[in-house]
Amino acid sequence: MAVSIKYYTNRTLAITILVIMAIWALLFYAFLMDEVYDNVDDGLKNQKLEIIREAYNNPEIIETSKEYGINQFKIYPTQPSEDIDKNHFSRELMYMPYDDEDEPYRILKTGFYSKDRKAYALEIRTSTVEEDDYLINLAISLAVLYAVIVISILVINYFVMHKGWKPFHKILENLSNYRFGHTKSFEPVPTEVKEFQELNNQINQMISTNEAVFQDQKLFLENASHELQTPLAITIGKLDLLLQDGNLPEEQTIKIAEAKQSLHRMVGLNKSLLMLSRIENNQYTSSSDVKFNTVILQKLEEFEEIIEFKDIQINMLQKGHFIANMNIDLARVLISNLLRNAIKYNVQTGHIDITIDDNEIDIANSSNDGALNPDFIFKRFHKGTQDSQSNGLGLSIVKTILEKYPNLTITYDFIDNLQHFTIKKIK
């Protein structure tokens, strides 16, 4: 599942900070407790010196300090030893009447010799921190700190990253509006971010390279189409002369006729490719308000013979006048290709229903071929299974023409065994 970079960054930061703070908290706790005990132990050592000094000066203190009292130390006889004066620190729980519970104490156990060379043990205690409560309070404090840090990062990222990534989203939006063959359809986004500037430059270089290749291909296609016209016409003419010779055997005559038919297909393909090249090279620049009702009637009259041959019924309903500003020649090619398609892929004794209103032209033809794939019918050289003799460029030319006019679009539907091609105005 894809996630946004903002979510990815926030998630990574939150987890990283949590791990760092956990490790830091353990180290901080260990360091702090070591420092606390070091200070407490220093205090106990200092008390030890003062108590031993007092015991030398006032031996009576030895007899009066056999149990913990107000002074928090006790002295009792012990066995002589070489390390009697060594310090032994421990942590013990002792009952504290004020809290009515056991509390932690730091205890120093050592010893000394009195003036009369008797050995005595000395224990000094002092109250110290409750590690459990301290750990809980530290954990609560760090949890609050963690929450504040994460919330601050989220808020900062929301505003900073939203502003910082704004040029990137604008670049993506402009890139989605880019159309091949239209260099001005992509506009670089001004930005102070170095990475986005580099992205702009790379996209511009890519578009420039692709457009240069595209222009070379279109120029080659147009030149090749022009150059093919003359040899094709000459070849067809010579084949006609051969067919007019009545001395040819029937088998050769059939082969020459098939060759002539293939050449005519090549002529049609050549004209279609030349038409596409001219459209994409913006050679049809003039425009005027075209009355499509009139264009459709004219084209139906031109196709009258083939319509009668296939015994196709024309049903034309004019609810309004479809008028669009475009090149008149392209409008004729547009309607011609749609009507040719409706006639060519119609059934014998079928019908064509043409509905016209102010905002829509619907051309529907009867068909037994079922629904076409709307993802491919406008692709170049896509012929499907309808006609192996087709060059697959008729509907592609229709789509290319309408792409030149953003206020017009075409859709395809298959309803009740009727193939519907609908030109609509975009408001």
Side-chain angles (χ1 to χ4, degrees):
M1 179 180 178
V3 296
S4 67
I5 191 169
K6 184 187 297 184
Y7 172 81
Y8 178 80
T9 303
N10 289 337
R11 182 185 65 183
T12 304
L13 284 175
I15 295 174
T16 303
I17 292 173
L18 179 61
V19 173
I20 291 175
M21 288 190 65
I23 296 173
W24 178 86
L26 293 175
L27 295 176
F28 178 74
Y29 174 77
F31 172 79
L32 200 60
M33 292 306 300
D34 181 72
E35 188 67 23
V36 168
Y37 283 130
D38 185 63
N39 290 334
V40 170
D41 292 347
D42 288 343
L44 291 174
K45 292 175 185 177
N46 186 65
Q47 283 184 263
K48 167 190 170 181
L49 296 176
E50 292 181 354
I51 292 171
I52 293 175
R53 187 181 298 115
E54 184 67 22
Y56 268 81
N57 297 330
N58 185 13
E60 295 181 359
I61 195 174
I62 296 175
E63 300 298 328
T64 59
S65 304
K66 293 184 178 182
E67 297 294 335
Y68 287 117
I70 298 176
N71 294 326
Q72 297 295 304
F73 68 89
K74 63 180 180 178
I75 301 173
Y76 55 90
T78 187
Q79 296 296 323
S81 63
E82 293 182 0
D83 58 349
I84 192 172
D85 59 343
K86 283 191 175 181
N87 299 322
H88 301 277
F89 295 95
S90 63
R91 179 181 178 274
E92 298 180 15
L93 293 176
M94 295 185 175
Y95 179 74
M96 185 175 289
Y98 179 79
D99 291 331
D100 194 25
E101 62 180 359
D102 292 337
E103 296 291 345
Y105 275 84
R106 188 70 170 170
I107 298 176
L108 168 59
K109 295 180 179 180
T110 186
F112 64 95
Y113 290 99
S114 63
K115 281 184 178 182
D116 53 5
R117 301 303 298 171
K118 291 182 179 180
Y120 290 93
L122 171 63
E123 292 185 13
I124 310 172
R125 72 176 184 179
T126 183
S127 179
T128 186
V129 296
E130 298 184 37
E131 294 186 24
D132 294 341
D133 292 344
Y134 177 75
L135 188 59
I136 293 173
N137 291 332
L138 179 61
I140 294 174
S141 300
L142 290 177
V144 173
L145 179 61
Y146 173 75
V148 171
I149 291 175
V150 171
I151 293 173
S152 300
I153 290 174
L154 292 177
V155 173
I156 293 172
N157 277 353
Y158 177 79
F159 291 103
V160 174
M161 293 187 69
H162 179 74
K163 183 178 179 181
W165 284 92
K166 193 173 182 180
F168 176 76
H169 293 296
K170 185 64 178 176
I171 291 173
L172 289 182
E173 180 183 347
N174 291 354
L175 195 58
S176 65
N177 294 328
Y178 168 70
R179 294 294 177 268
F180 204 56
H182 302 272
T183 54
K184 294 184 179 179
S185 59
F186 175 77
E187 297 180 0
V189 178
T191 175
E192 296 180 357
V193 180
K194 181 180 178 181
E195 288 76 10
F196 296 155
Q197 290 176 353
E198 183 67 20
L199 180 61
N200 269 327
N201 294 335
Q202 292 299 325
I203 291 175
N204 279 329
Q205 291 178 13
M206 179 190 68
I207 290 176
S208 298
T209 302
N210 291 340
E211 290 292 338
V213 173
F214 181 61
Q215 293 301 326
D216 290 341
Q217 289 177 343
K218 289 197 298 182
L219 183 60
F220 169 79
L221 179 62
E222 186 171 355
N223 291 337
S225 297
H226 276 297
E227 294 299 325
L228 282 172
Q229 286 180 352
T230 301
L232 285 173
I234 293 173
T235 305
I236 291 174
K238 289 183 177 182
L239 290 176
D240 283 334
L241 291 176
L242 286 174
L243 289 173
Q244 292 173 11
D245 187 353
N247 298 324
L248 290 174
E250 182 180 354
E251 183 179 351
Q252 291 184 2
T253 302
I254 293 174
K255 290 181 178 180
I256 292 173
E258 290 175 350
K260 181 183 174 183
Q261 185 180 5
S262 297
L263 288 173
H264 276 297
R265 285 182 56 204
M266 187 176 293
V267 170
L269 175 61
N270 187 60
K271 288 181 178 179
S272 297
L273 291 173
L274 187 58
M275 169 64 70
L276 281 170
S277 178
R278 287 173 175 173
I279 294 172
E280 291 172 344
N281 285 330
N282 297 316
Q283 293 184 12
Y284 297 92
T285 55
S286 61
S287 62
S288 60
D289 288 336
V290 178
K291 298 179 180 178
F292 276 80
N293 301 56
T294 303
V295 174
I296 292 174
L297 291 172
Q298 291 174 349
K299 290 300 175 182
L300 286 174
E301 187 176 345
E302 292 179 13
F303 299 142
E304 185 175 359
E305 291 185 4
I306 190 172
I307 291 173
E308 291 179 356
F309 176 77
K310 294 192 69 171
D311 194 17
I312 296 174
Q313 180 182 350
I314 304 296
N315 302 315
M316 186 168 177
L317 178 60
Q318 301 186 61
K319 298 180 181 180
H321 297 277
F322 190 94
I323 300 174
N325 189 272
M326 65 182 300
N327 182 273
I328 182 63
D329 294 326
L330 292 183
R332 290 170 181 158
V333 173
L334 174 67
I335 296 301
S336 177
N337 283 10
L338 288 175
L339 289 177
R340 284 179 186 274
N341 186 78
I343 295 170
K344 189 172 185 177
Y345 301 114
N346 214 317
V347 297
Q348 193 73 25
T349 68
H351 60 92
I352 297 176
D353 300 331
I354 303 174
T355 305
I356 307 173
D357 61 30
D358 294 339
N359 298 305
E360 187 175 292
I361 299 174
D362 182 71
I363 300 177
N365 62 279
S366 53
S367 173
N368 292 328
D369 296 314
L372 304 176
N373 190 334
D375 295 329
F376 295 101
I377 55 176
F378 295 108
K379 299 291 184 181
R380 296 182 184 182
F381 303 108
H382 175 73
K383 295 181 285 188
T385 58
Q386 287 184 318
D387 186 5
S388 60
Q389 302 299 315
S390 170
N391 59 32
L393 289 175
L395 293 177
S396 176
I397 292 176
V398 169
K399 187 69 173 179
T400 303
I401 291 173
L402 292 177
E403 285 178 349
K404 296 291 180 180
Y405 301 95
N407 60 322
L408 297 176
T409 187
I410 188 168
T411 58
Y412 165 78
D413 289 296
F414 183 75
I415 304 173
D416 298 331
N417 288 326
L418 292 177
Q419 310 279 1
H420 288 263
F421 289 90
T422 307
I423 301 174
K424 299 179 181 180
K425 290 182 180 178
I426 301 176
K427 298 180 180 180

